[in-house]
Amino acid sequence: MQKLSRAFTVLALSLFFVLVFVVAGFGEQNLSTDEVEIREYQGEKLGSVSDFRENSIRGVQKVDPATYRLVVDGLVAKPLSFSLEELRSFPRKKKLVTLFCVEGWQVKALWEGIPLSALFEKVGVLPEANTVIFYAVDGYTTSLPLDYILERDIIIADKINGITLPPAQGFPFQLVAESKWGYKWIRWLERIELSDNANYRGYWESKGYSNSGDLNRPMFEQ
Ligand SMILES: Nc1nc2c(c(=O)[nH]1)N[C@H]1C(S)=C(S)[C@@H](COP(=O)(O)O)O[C@H]1N2
Ligand SMILES: [Mo]
């Protein structure tokens, strides 16, 4: 009788764990399948996340959303860092922009995220700042003039074509550096530094690519 009840307990426990795994599995599947990429916006055909070529300096980075923080520091009144939860309450903006890589491919997409100006307001940019340096979790860096960012109302995107940025596209954030070459579009962004070093050169810029990164100018420094 005792043996029977022990066998029953073991069976019940196993069933319970199988159930837990099935439910957990479903949960995970839902995360990736219930978001559907839009392929057209205001009458314009969009590219797809599957059109991007993987060319990252250290491969695709996996960022843990639970521990992620976005740091904004440097020439600011009050350096701050933000969790993904905190970033959810920021203003949002959508932009239809094409990313051009110097390798010769391009993808037009609908980007959605937070204007950098909203982050800057929180930290209070000091008057000496003229440059913004961006740092990513893979050690990649790039920079842009502060004026360009404010004039164009540049955003950091956490969504592409209506879906959460996939890890390969830079989850949780990719800079949408419109009118600049792809190497300015830093992915897996984790730190934004306000600086007065207009000559700062990021990863590709220090290897000879133009520091302005302007699409309508030569891609190599003359
Ligand atoms: N952190 C990081 N960001 C990066 C890169 C990289 O290697 N690491 N490559 C850049 C280059 S050269 C291009 S063209 C774009 C490509 O972005 P995508 O994969 O979203 O198209 O990412 C840019 N951002
Ligand atoms: Mo690129």
Side-chain angles (χ1 to χ4, degrees):
M1 192 57 196
Q2 228 181 5
K3 252 193 195 153
L4 201 69
S5 76
R6 194 182 297 155
F8 184 75
T9 311
V10 168
L11 189 75
L13 269 175
S14 326
L15 271 174
F16 173 74
F17 281 115
V18 166
L19 203 74
V20 165
F21 280 119
V22 166
V23 169
F26 260 107
E28 205 160 54
Q29 238 178 13
N30 276 344
L31 270 185
S32 49
T33 52
D34 67 357
E35 291 195 314
V36 180
E37 239 192 311
I38 60 157
R39 300 303 307 277
E40 204 178 304
Y41 182 68
Q42 295 176 345
E44 289 206 63
K45 286 248 180 302
L46 302 176
S48 161
V49 287
S50 54
D51 296 343
F52 293 99
R53 316 251 182 102
E54 208 336 81
N55 59 1
S56 320
I57 57 164
R58 287 190 182 83
V60 172
Q61 305 293 305
K62 287 259 153 60
V63 172
D64 179 358
T67 55
Y68 174 82
R69 297 197 76 85
L70 178 62
V71 173
V72 189
D73 64 0
L75 295 174
V76 298
K78 187 172 157 202
L80 288 172
S81 79
F82 305 92
S83 66
L84 285 181
E85 181 64 38
E86 288 162 343
L87 290 165
R88 266 195 267 278
S89 63
F90 276 74
R92 301 186 61 80
K93 187 166 183 143
K94 283 184 193 172
K95 290 190 182 202
L96 186 64
V97 189
T98 304
L99 180 151
F100 296 86
C101 177
V102 295
E103 289 171 335
W105 53 270
Q106 62 198 65
V107 182
K108 184 193 270 186
L110 178 65
W111 307 90
E112 182 185 338
I114 303 169
L116 284 170
S117 60
L119 291 168
F120 293 167
E121 263 169 44
K122 297 266 181 199
V123 295
V125 176
L126 299 181
E128 309 91 272
N130 56 19
T131 302
V132 186
I133 307 176
F134 299 89
Y135 300 83
V137 303
D138 57 351
Y140 191 90
T141 68
T142 192
S143 63
L144 287 164
L146 178 59
D147 281 352
Y148 155 84
I149 287 171
L150 298 177
E151 279 159 21
R152 308 289 293 248
D153 200 10
I154 297 301
I155 66 169
I156 53 171
D158 53 16
K159 284 195 162 193
I160 174 172
N161 294 347
I163 67 167
T164 307
L165 217 60
Q169 263 58 61
F171 176 86
F173 289 105
Q174 177 169 35
L175 183 69
V176 181
E178 58 195 62
S179 81
K180 307 284 187 186
W181 286 109
Y183 59 85
K184 293 283 181 186
W185 295 54
I186 192 169
R187 285 171 281 164
W188 311 294
L189 177 65
E190 64 171 357
R191 180 180 167 212
I192 302 170
E193 183 193 4
L194 279 297
S195 161
D196 59 2
N197 179 8
N199 293 318
Y200 178 88
R201 302 186 79 92
Y203 182 86
W204 286 115
E205 295 89 332
S206 66
K207 292 178 164 48
Y209 285 94
S210 112
N211 210 20
S212 85
D214 283 333
L215 285 171
N216 57 5
R217 283 203 257 170
M219 66 174 82
F220 293 108
E221 212 82 352
Q222 310 286 307

